[in-house]
Amino acid sequence: MSPRLTRLARLMDLATLAALCALPLAVLAGAWVAEPADLPFPLPEGYVPAPARLLTALAVGALPMVALGLTLWRMHLLFRLLFSGNVLTHGAALLIRRIGTGLMAVALLRIAVIPAQSLIVTLAAPPGSRQLLLSVSSADLGFLLAAGLMAVIGWVMEDAARATEENRGFV
């Protein structure tokens, strides 16, 4: 294995661990200072949601971060495998596929969060003021496609690792 790959895997492992540590702190800090005006959509004029609805919406908004945390953990495990020299193995391929599917979950949850939050927060609003908002950006779609590509690469690598292991058995 090349020294550059080893160095990059170590660097990415450290960055992943730093992100894993920062993620819950960022979620807690966001929840601590959250106000209705911080929601990713406008509220009906004069409507102030109940604190329980706001907290529920914030909890729903944190779901993509939970999926991201699990995905970051899998990235940490993958980088550990890589800098220990286990590059073309079934374990590395499986982690790559799971990272891809985890990132797909993050993308899908990000798309689903705003409609869920808008419904939760405005369900108690007066009739005619309730909202169900859907927002999908090209960045969301690009992220979803890139995550899907990573999952497919993981599946291809799993097949390649399996074939490599079978070939080793014949030698």
Side-chain angles (χ1 to χ4, degrees):
M1 188 166 84
S2 79
R4 273 196 318 187
L5 178 58
T6 303
R7 280 193 308 272
L8 183 58
R10 283 185 193 272
L11 178 66
M12 291 301 295
D13 182 48
L14 291 173
T16 303
L17 286 173
L20 266 169
C21 292
L23 186 65
L25 297 175
V27 170
L28 288 174
W32 183 264
V33 298
E35 295 181 14
D38 297 330
L39 290 169
F41 51 87
L43 290 174
E45 187 152 337
Y47 174 69
V48 177
R53 288 192 177 278
L54 185 59
L55 287 174
T56 304
L58 287 172
V60 167
L63 289 176
M65 298 300 111
V66 172
L68 181 60
L70 179 59
T71 303
L72 286 170
W73 178 253
R74 289 176 174 157
M75 291 170 95
H76 160 69
L77 295 175
L78 175 65
F79 294 131
R80 288 284 191 172
L81 273 178
L82 295 179
F83 77 68
S84 67
N86 297 308
V87 178
L88 296 174
T89 63
H90 181 73
L94 181 65
L95 283 169
I96 290 170
R97 181 174 56 85
R98 287 183 176 168
I99 290 166
T101 55
L103 290 174
M104 287 173 61
V106 171
L108 292 171
L109 284 169
R110 284 180 43 128
I111 292 169
V113 158
I114 290 178
Q117 286 180 318
S118 67
L119 185 62
I120 290 166
V121 170
T122 64
L123 198 58
S129 299
R130 296 178 186 133
Q131 299 176 0
L132 177 62
L133 291 123
L134 179 62
S135 173
V136 180
S137 71
S138 59
D140 292 329
L141 294 176
F143 187 76
L144 185 60
L145 288 172
L149 174 65
M150 183 167 223
V152 168
I153 289 170
W155 267 312
V156 169
M157 283 189 62
E158 279 186 279
D159 287 347
R162 194 174 302 112
T164 301
E165 290 170 7
E166 286 175 9
N167 287 340
R168 282 187 201 136
F170 290 122
V171 176

Short mmCIF file of all heavy atoms in Angstrom, two decimals, residues 2-63:
data_model
loop_
_atom_site.label_atom_id
_atom_site.label_comp_id
_atom_site.label_asym_id
_atom_site.label_seq_id
_atom_site.Cartn_x
_atom_site.Cartn_y
_atom_site.Cartn_z
N SER A 2 0.48 2.24 -0.73
CA SER A 2 1.32 3.42 -0.86
C SER A 2 1.30 4.25 0.43
O SER A 2 0.28 4.31 1.13
CB SER A 2 0.85 4.28 -2.03
OG SER A 2 -0.27 5.04 -1.68
N PRO A 3 2.43 4.91 0.72
CA PRO A 3 2.48 5.77 1.91
C PRO A 3 1.48 6.92 1.83
O PRO A 3 0.94 7.37 2.85
CB PRO A 3 3.91 6.28 1.93
CG PRO A 3 4.69 5.39 1.03
CD PRO A 3 3.73 4.79 0.07
N ARG A 4 1.21 7.39 0.60
CA ARG A 4 0.24 8.48 0.45
C ARG A 4 -1.15 8.04 0.89
O ARG A 4 -1.87 8.78 1.56
CB ARG A 4 0.18 8.97 -1.00
CG ARG A 4 1.20 10.01 -1.30
CD ARG A 4 0.94 10.77 -2.56
NE ARG A 4 0.49 9.93 -3.66
CZ ARG A 4 0.32 10.35 -4.88
NH1 ARG A 4 0.57 11.61 -5.18
NH2 ARG A 4 -0.09 9.55 -5.83
N LEU A 5 -1.55 6.82 0.51
CA LEU A 5 -2.85 6.31 0.90
C LEU A 5 -2.92 6.15 2.42
O LEU A 5 -3.93 6.49 3.04
CB LEU A 5 -3.15 4.98 0.21
CG LEU A 5 -4.48 4.32 0.58
CD1 LEU A 5 -5.65 5.23 0.30
CD2 LEU A 5 -4.63 3.01 -0.15
N THR A 6 -1.84 5.67 3.01
CA THR A 6 -1.80 5.51 4.46
C THR A 6 -1.95 6.85 5.16
O THR A 6 -2.75 7.00 6.09
CB THR A 6 -0.48 4.84 4.90
OG1 THR A 6 -0.36 3.58 4.23
CG2 THR A 6 -0.45 4.61 6.39
N ARG A 7 -1.21 7.85 4.70
CA ARG A 7 -1.30 9.19 5.30
C ARG A 7 -2.69 9.79 5.12
O ARG A 7 -3.26 10.36 6.06
CB ARG A 7 -0.25 10.13 4.69
CG ARG A 7 1.14 9.95 5.25
CD ARG A 7 2.06 11.10 4.86
NE ARG A 7 2.09 11.39 3.43
CZ ARG A 7 2.91 10.81 2.55
NH1 ARG A 7 3.79 9.91 2.96
NH2 ARG A 7 2.87 11.13 1.27
N LEU A 8 -3.25 9.66 3.92
CA LEU A 8 -4.58 10.22 3.67
C LEU A 8 -5.63 9.50 4.51
O LEU A 8 -6.53 10.14 5.06
CB LEU A 8 -4.92 10.12 2.18
CG LEU A 8 -6.25 10.74 1.77
CD1 LEU A 8 -6.32 12.22 2.15
CD2 LEU A 8 -6.49 10.54 0.29
N ALA A 9 -5.53 8.19 4.64
CA ALA A 9 -6.49 7.44 5.45
C ALA A 9 -6.39 7.87 6.91
O ALA A 9 -7.42 8.02 7.59
CB ALA A 9 -6.25 5.94 5.31
N ARG A 10 -5.17 8.08 7.42
CA ARG A 10 -5.02 8.55 8.80
C ARG A 10 -5.61 9.95 8.98
O ARG A 10 -6.31 10.22 9.96
CB ARG A 10 -3.54 8.57 9.20
CG ARG A 10 -2.99 7.22 9.52
CD ARG A 10 -1.54 7.36 10.03
NE ARG A 10 -0.88 6.08 10.07
CZ ARG A 10 -0.93 5.25 11.11
NH1 ARG A 10 -1.60 5.58 12.18
NH2 ARG A 10 -0.31 4.10 11.07
N LEU A 11 -5.35 10.82 8.02
CA LEU A 11 -5.88 12.19 8.08
C LEU A 11 -7.40 12.18 8.03
O LEU A 11 -8.07 12.86 8.82
CB LEU A 11 -5.31 13.02 6.92
CG LEU A 11 -5.80 14.45 6.83
CD1 LEU A 11 -5.33 15.26 8.03
CD2 LEU A 11 -5.29 15.09 5.54
N MET A 12 -7.97 11.38 7.14
CA MET A 12 -9.42 11.29 7.04
C MET A 12 -10.03 10.65 8.29
O MET A 12 -11.12 11.03 8.70
CB MET A 12 -9.81 10.50 5.78
CG MET A 12 -9.50 11.23 4.49
SD MET A 12 -10.31 12.84 4.36
CE MET A 12 -12.02 12.35 4.31
N ASP A 13 -9.32 9.72 8.88
CA ASP A 13 -9.80 9.12 10.12
C ASP A 13 -9.88 10.18 11.22
O ASP A 13 -10.87 10.26 11.94
CB ASP A 13 -8.90 7.97 10.55
CG ASP A 13 -9.40 7.29 11.80
OD1 ASP A 13 -10.60 6.98 11.87
OD2 ASP A 13 -8.59 7.09 12.72
N LEU A 14 -8.85 10.99 11.34
CA LEU A 14 -8.86 12.06 12.35
C LEU A 14 -9.98 13.07 12.07
O LEU A 14 -10.67 13.51 13.00
CB LEU A 14 -7.51 12.76 12.39
CG LEU A 14 -6.35 11.92 12.94
CD1 LEU A 14 -5.02 12.67 12.78
CD2 LEU A 14 -6.60 11.56 14.40
N ALA A 15 -10.16 13.43 10.81
CA ALA A 15 -11.22 14.36 10.46
C ALA A 15 -12.60 13.78 10.76
O ALA A 15 -13.50 14.47 11.26
CB ALA A 15 -11.12 14.74 8.98
N THR A 16 -12.76 12.49 10.50
CA THR A 16 -14.02 11.82 10.78
C THR A 16 -14.29 11.77 12.28
O THR A 16 -15.40 12.03 12.73
CB THR A 16 -14.01 10.40 10.19
OG1 THR A 16 -13.75 10.48 8.80
CG2 THR A 16 -15.32 9.70 10.41
N LEU A 17 -13.26 11.48 13.06
CA LEU A 17 -13.43 11.47 14.52
C LEU A 17 -13.76 12.86 15.05
O LEU A 17 -14.60 13.01 15.95
CB LEU A 17 -12.17 10.92 15.19
CG LEU A 17 -11.96 9.41 15.07
CD1 LEU A 17 -10.61 9.01 15.63
CD2 LEU A 17 -13.08 8.66 15.76
N ALA A 18 -13.13 13.88 14.49
CA ALA A 18 -13.44 15.26 14.90
C ALA A 18 -14.90 15.59 14.57
O ALA A 18 -15.61 16.19 15.39
CB ALA A 18 -12.49 16.24 14.21
N ALA A 19 -15.35 15.19 13.39
CA ALA A 19 -16.74 15.44 13.02
C ALA A 19 -17.70 14.67 13.92
O ALA A 19 -18.76 15.18 14.30
CB ALA A 19 -16.97 15.06 11.56
N LEU A 20 -17.32 13.44 14.29
CA LEU A 20 -18.15 12.64 15.19
C LEU A 20 -18.29 13.32 16.56
O LEU A 20 -19.35 13.25 17.17
CB LEU A 20 -17.55 11.25 15.38
CG LEU A 20 -18.07 10.17 14.46
CD1 LEU A 20 -17.22 8.91 14.56
CD2 LEU A 20 -19.52 9.85 14.76
N CYS A 21 -17.23 13.94 17.02
CA CYS A 21 -17.28 14.64 18.30
C CYS A 21 -18.07 15.95 18.19
O CYS A 21 -18.82 16.32 19.10
CB CYS A 21 -15.86 14.95 18.79
SG CYS A 21 -14.94 13.48 19.25
N ALA A 22 -17.94 16.65 17.07
CA ALA A 22 -18.59 17.95 16.90
C ALA A 22 -20.08 17.81 16.61
O ALA A 22 -20.86 18.70 16.98
CB ALA A 22 -17.91 18.72 15.77
N LEU A 23 -20.49 16.73 15.98
CA LEU A 23 -21.88 16.59 15.56
C LEU A 23 -22.88 16.67 16.72
O LEU A 23 -23.81 17.48 16.66
CB LEU A 23 -22.06 15.28 14.77
CG LEU A 23 -23.41 15.05 14.14
CD1 LEU A 23 -23.69 16.09 13.06
CD2 LEU A 23 -23.46 13.66 13.53
N PRO A 24 -22.73 15.89 17.78
CA PRO A 24 -23.71 16.02 18.87
C PRO A 24 -23.66 17.38 19.55
O PRO A 24 -24.69 17.90 19.97
CB PRO A 24 -23.33 14.90 19.85
CG PRO A 24 -22.06 14.33 19.39
CD PRO A 24 -21.77 14.82 18.03
N LEU A 25 -22.47 17.97 19.63
CA LEU A 25 -22.37 19.30 20.22
C LEU A 25 -23.12 20.33 19.38
O LEU A 25 -23.80 21.20 19.92
CB LEU A 25 -20.90 19.71 20.37
CG LEU A 25 -20.06 18.84 21.32
CD1 LEU A 25 -18.60 19.26 21.27
CD2 LEU A 25 -20.62 18.92 22.73
N ALA A 26 -23.01 20.21 18.07
CA ALA A 26 -23.73 21.13 17.18
C ALA A 26 -25.24 20.95 17.30
O ALA A 26 -25.99 21.93 17.33
CB ALA A 26 -23.27 20.92 15.74
N VAL A 27 -25.70 19.70 17.39
CA VAL A 27 -27.13 19.45 17.53
C VAL A 27 -27.64 20.01 18.85
O VAL A 27 -28.68 20.68 18.90
CB VAL A 27 -27.44 17.93 17.42
CG1 VAL A 27 -28.87 17.63 17.80
CG2 VAL A 27 -27.15 17.45 16.01
N LEU A 28 -26.90 19.78 19.93
CA LEU A 28 -27.32 20.30 21.24
C LEU A 28 -27.29 21.82 21.27
O LEU A 28 -28.21 22.45 21.82
CB LEU A 28 -26.42 19.73 22.34
CG LEU A 28 -26.62 18.25 22.66
CD1 LEU A 28 -25.58 17.77 23.67
CD2 LEU A 28 -28.02 18.01 23.18
N ALA A 29 -26.27 22.42 20.69
CA ALA A 29 -26.20 23.89 20.65
C ALA A 29 -27.36 24.45 19.84
O ALA A 29 -27.96 25.46 20.23
CB ALA A 29 -24.86 24.33 20.06
N GLY A 30 -27.67 23.81 18.73
CA GLY A 30 -28.81 24.26 17.92
C GLY A 30 -30.12 24.15 18.66
O GLY A 30 -30.97 25.04 18.58
N ALA A 31 -30.31 23.08 19.42
CA ALA A 31 -31.54 22.90 20.19
C ALA A 31 -31.61 23.90 21.34
O ALA A 31 -32.68 24.37 21.70
CB ALA A 31 -31.62 21.47 20.72
N TRP A 32 -30.47 24.24 21.90
CA TRP A 32 -30.43 25.15 23.05
C TRP A 32 -30.89 26.56 22.67
O TRP A 32 -31.58 27.22 23.43
CB TRP A 32 -29.00 25.19 23.60
CG TRP A 32 -28.86 26.04 24.82
CD1 TRP A 32 -28.46 27.34 24.89
CD2 TRP A 32 -29.12 25.64 26.16
NE1 TRP A 32 -28.46 27.78 26.17
CE2 TRP A 32 -28.86 26.75 26.99
CE3 TRP A 32 -29.53 24.45 26.75
CZ2 TRP A 32 -29.01 26.71 28.35
CZ3 TRP A 32 -29.68 24.41 28.12
CH2 TRP A 32 -29.42 25.53 28.90
N VAL A 33 -30.51 27.01 21.50
CA VAL A 33 -30.81 28.39 21.10
C VAL A 33 -31.97 28.48 20.10
O VAL A 33 -32.26 29.55 19.58
CB VAL A 33 -29.57 29.08 20.50
CG1 VAL A 33 -28.46 29.17 21.52
CG2 VAL A 33 -29.10 28.39 19.24
N ALA A 34 -32.65 27.35 19.84
CA ALA A 34 -33.68 27.33 18.80
C ALA A 34 -34.89 28.18 19.19
O ALA A 34 -35.31 28.22 20.35
CB ALA A 34 -34.12 25.90 18.54
N GLU A 35 -35.41 28.85 18.20
CA GLU A 35 -36.63 29.64 18.33
C GLU A 35 -37.49 29.35 17.10
O GLU A 35 -36.99 28.88 16.09
CB GLU A 35 -36.29 31.13 18.38
CG GLU A 35 -35.50 31.52 19.60
CD GLU A 35 -35.20 33.01 19.63
OE1 GLU A 35 -35.83 33.76 18.86
OE2 GLU A 35 -34.35 33.42 20.41
N PRO A 36 -38.77 29.67 17.16
CA PRO A 36 -39.62 29.43 15.99
C PRO A 36 -39.08 30.10 14.71
O PRO A 36 -39.23 29.56 13.62
CB PRO A 36 -40.97 30.01 16.40
CG PRO A 36 -40.99 29.90 17.88
CD PRO A 36 -39.55 30.12 18.30
N ALA A 37 -38.43 31.23 14.84
CA ALA A 37 -37.90 31.93 13.66
C ALA A 37 -36.75 31.16 13.02
O ALA A 37 -36.40 31.42 11.86
CB ALA A 37 -37.43 33.33 14.06
N ASP A 38 -36.18 30.19 13.72
CA ASP A 38 -35.07 29.39 13.18
C ASP A 38 -35.53 28.24 12.30
O ASP A 38 -34.70 27.56 11.70
CB ASP A 38 -34.20 28.83 14.32
CG ASP A 38 -33.55 29.92 15.15
OD1 ASP A 38 -33.27 30.99 14.58
OD2 ASP A 38 -33.32 29.69 16.35
N LEU A 39 -36.82 28.00 12.24
CA LEU A 39 -37.32 26.91 11.41
C LEU A 39 -37.01 27.20 9.94
O LEU A 39 -36.94 28.37 9.53
CB LEU A 39 -38.83 26.74 11.61
CG LEU A 39 -39.24 26.19 12.97
CD1 LEU A 39 -40.74 26.33 13.17
CD2 LEU A 39 -38.82 24.74 13.11
N PRO A 40 -36.82 26.16 9.14
CA PRO A 40 -36.45 26.36 7.73
C PRO A 40 -37.62 26.76 6.83
O PRO A 40 -37.55 26.60 5.62
CB PRO A 40 -35.86 25.01 7.32
CG PRO A 40 -36.54 24.03 8.20
CD PRO A 40 -36.79 24.74 9.50
N PHE A 41 -38.70 27.26 7.42
CA PHE A 41 -39.85 27.71 6.65
C PHE A 41 -40.56 28.79 7.45
O PHE A 41 -40.44 28.86 8.68
CB PHE A 41 -40.81 26.53 6.36
CG PHE A 41 -41.18 25.76 7.59
CD1 PHE A 41 -42.26 26.14 8.38
CD2 PHE A 41 -40.45 24.65 7.97
CE1 PHE A 41 -42.59 25.44 9.52
CE2 PHE A 41 -40.78 23.93 9.11
CZ PHE A 41 -41.85 24.33 9.89
N PRO A 42 -41.29 29.68 6.78
CA PRO A 42 -41.99 30.75 7.50
C PRO A 42 -43.24 30.22 8.19
O PRO A 42 -43.92 29.33 7.68
CB PRO A 42 -42.35 31.74 6.40
CG PRO A 42 -42.43 30.91 5.16
CD PRO A 42 -41.43 29.79 5.33
N LEU A 43 -43.53 30.77 9.34
CA LEU A 43 -44.75 30.41 10.05
C LEU A 43 -45.88 31.34 9.61
O LEU A 43 -45.62 32.47 9.18
CB LEU A 43 -44.54 30.55 11.56
CG LEU A 43 -43.60 29.53 12.20
CD1 LEU A 43 -43.37 29.88 13.66
CD2 LEU A 43 -44.17 28.13 12.08
N PRO A 44 -47.13 30.87 9.72
CA PRO A 44 -48.25 31.77 9.41
C PRO A 44 -48.20 33.00 10.31
O PRO A 44 -47.80 32.92 11.48
CB PRO A 44 -49.49 30.92 9.72
CG PRO A 44 -49.02 29.50 9.67
CD PRO A 44 -47.57 29.54 10.09
N GLU A 45 -48.58 34.13 9.76
CA GLU A 45 -48.50 35.39 10.50
C GLU A 45 -49.31 35.33 11.79
O GLU A 45 -50.46 34.91 11.80
CB GLU A 45 -49.00 36.55 9.63
CG GLU A 45 -48.77 37.87 10.31
CD GLU A 45 -48.59 38.99 9.32
OE1 GLU A 45 -48.22 38.72 8.17
OE2 GLU A 45 -48.82 40.12 9.73
N GLY A 46 -48.66 35.72 12.89
CA GLY A 46 -49.31 35.75 14.18
C GLY A 46 -49.40 34.41 14.89
O GLY A 46 -49.87 34.34 16.02
N TYR A 47 -48.96 33.35 14.26
CA TYR A 47 -49.05 32.01 14.87
C TYR A 47 -47.75 31.70 15.60
O TYR A 47 -46.66 31.81 15.06
CB TYR A 47 -49.30 30.95 13.79
CG TYR A 47 -49.26 29.54 14.33
CD1 TYR A 47 -50.25 29.07 15.18
CD2 TYR A 47 -48.22 28.68 13.99
CE1 TYR A 47 -50.21 27.78 15.67
CE2 TYR A 47 -48.18 27.38 14.48
CZ TYR A 47 -49.17 26.94 15.32
OH TYR A 47 -49.12 25.67 15.81
N VAL A 48 -47.89 31.33 16.87
CA VAL A 48 -46.74 30.91 17.67
C VAL A 48 -47.00 29.46 18.09
O VAL A 48 -47.97 29.19 18.81
CB VAL A 48 -46.56 31.80 18.93
CG1 VAL A 48 -45.40 31.30 19.78
CG2 VAL A 48 -46.37 33.25 18.53
N PRO A 49 -46.16 28.54 17.64
CA PRO A 49 -46.41 27.13 17.97
C PRO A 49 -46.16 26.85 19.45
O PRO A 49 -45.36 27.53 20.11
CB PRO A 49 -45.40 26.38 17.11
CG PRO A 49 -44.33 27.36 16.82
CD PRO A 49 -44.97 28.71 16.82
N ALA A 50 -46.84 25.84 19.95
CA ALA A 50 -46.62 25.41 21.34
C ALA A 50 -45.20 24.88 21.47
O ALA A 50 -44.65 24.32 20.52
CB ALA A 50 -47.63 24.33 21.70
N PRO A 51 -44.59 25.06 22.64
CA PRO A 51 -43.21 24.57 22.83
C PRO A 51 -43.05 23.08 22.53
O PRO A 51 -42.04 22.66 21.98
CB PRO A 51 -42.92 24.88 24.30
CG PRO A 51 -43.82 26.02 24.63
CD PRO A 51 -45.06 25.81 23.81
N ALA A 52 -44.05 22.27 22.86
CA ALA A 52 -43.94 20.83 22.60
C ALA A 52 -43.88 20.56 21.10
O ALA A 52 -43.14 19.69 20.64
CB ALA A 52 -45.14 20.10 23.22
N ARG A 53 -44.65 21.32 20.32
CA ARG A 53 -44.61 21.15 18.86
C ARG A 53 -43.24 21.57 18.31
O ARG A 53 -42.70 20.93 17.42
CB ARG A 53 -45.72 21.95 18.19
CG ARG A 53 -47.08 21.37 18.42
CD ARG A 53 -48.11 22.00 17.50
NE ARG A 53 -49.39 21.36 17.69
CZ ARG A 53 -49.75 20.22 17.13
NH1 ARG A 53 -48.92 19.61 16.33
NH2 ARG A 53 -50.93 19.69 17.36
N LEU A 54 -42.72 22.65 18.84
CA LEU A 54 -41.42 23.13 18.40
C LEU A 54 -40.32 22.12 18.74
O LEU A 54 -39.46 21.81 17.91
CB LEU A 54 -41.10 24.48 19.03
CG LEU A 54 -39.84 25.17 18.58
CD1 LEU A 54 -39.85 25.42 17.08
CD2 LEU A 54 -39.65 26.48 19.32
N LEU A 55 -40.36 21.56 19.95
CA LEU A 55 -39.37 20.54 20.33
C LEU A 55 -39.49 19.28 19.48
O LEU A 55 -38.49 18.68 19.10
CB LEU A 55 -39.52 20.20 21.82
CG LEU A 55 -39.02 21.26 22.79
CD1 LEU A 55 -39.35 20.88 24.22
CD2 LEU A 55 -37.53 21.47 22.63
N THR A 56 -40.73 18.89 19.18
CA THR A 56 -40.93 17.72 18.32
C THR A 56 -40.36 17.98 16.93
O THR A 56 -39.69 17.12 16.34
CB THR A 56 -42.42 17.36 18.23
OG1 THR A 56 -42.92 17.15 19.55
CG2 THR A 56 -42.65 16.12 17.40
N ALA A 57 -40.61 19.17 16.41
CA ALA A 57 -40.07 19.53 15.09
C ALA A 57 -38.54 19.55 15.11
O ALA A 57 -37.89 19.12 14.15
CB ALA A 57 -40.62 20.89 14.65
N LEU A 58 -37.96 20.04 16.20
CA LEU A 58 -36.50 20.04 16.32
C LEU A 58 -35.96 18.61 16.38
O LEU A 58 -34.93 18.30 15.78
CB LEU A 58 -36.06 20.81 17.56
CG LEU A 58 -36.20 22.33 17.48
CD1 LEU A 58 -35.93 22.95 18.84
CD2 LEU A 58 -35.28 22.91 16.43
N ALA A 59 -36.66 17.73 17.08
CA ALA A 59 -36.23 16.33 17.16
C ALA A 59 -36.30 15.68 15.77
O ALA A 59 -35.38 14.95 15.38
CB ALA A 59 -37.11 15.56 18.15
N VAL A 60 -37.35 15.96 15.02
CA VAL A 60 -37.46 15.43 13.66
C VAL A 60 -36.32 16.00 12.81
O VAL A 60 -35.72 15.28 12.00
CB VAL A 60 -38.84 15.77 13.06
CG1 VAL A 60 -38.87 15.53 11.56
CG2 VAL A 60 -39.93 14.95 13.75
N GLY A 61 -36.00 17.27 13.01
CA GLY A 61 -34.91 17.90 12.26
C GLY A 61 -33.55 17.29 12.57
O GLY A 61 -32.63 17.39 11.76
N ALA A 62 -33.42 16.64 13.71
CA ALA A 62 -32.15 16.02 14.09
C ALA A 62 -31.98 14.62 13.49
O ALA A 62 -30.87 14.08 13.52
CB ALA A 62 -32.03 15.96 15.61
N LEU A 63 -33.02 14.05 12.92
CA LEU A 63 -32.92 12.69 12.37
C LEU A 63 -31.83 12.54 11.31
O LEU A 63 -31.09 11.56 11.34
CB LEU A 63 -34.28 12.23 11.83
CG LEU A 63 -35.34 11.93 12.89
CD1 LEU A 63 -36.67 11.58 12.23
CD2 LEU A 63 -34.88 10.83 13.82
#
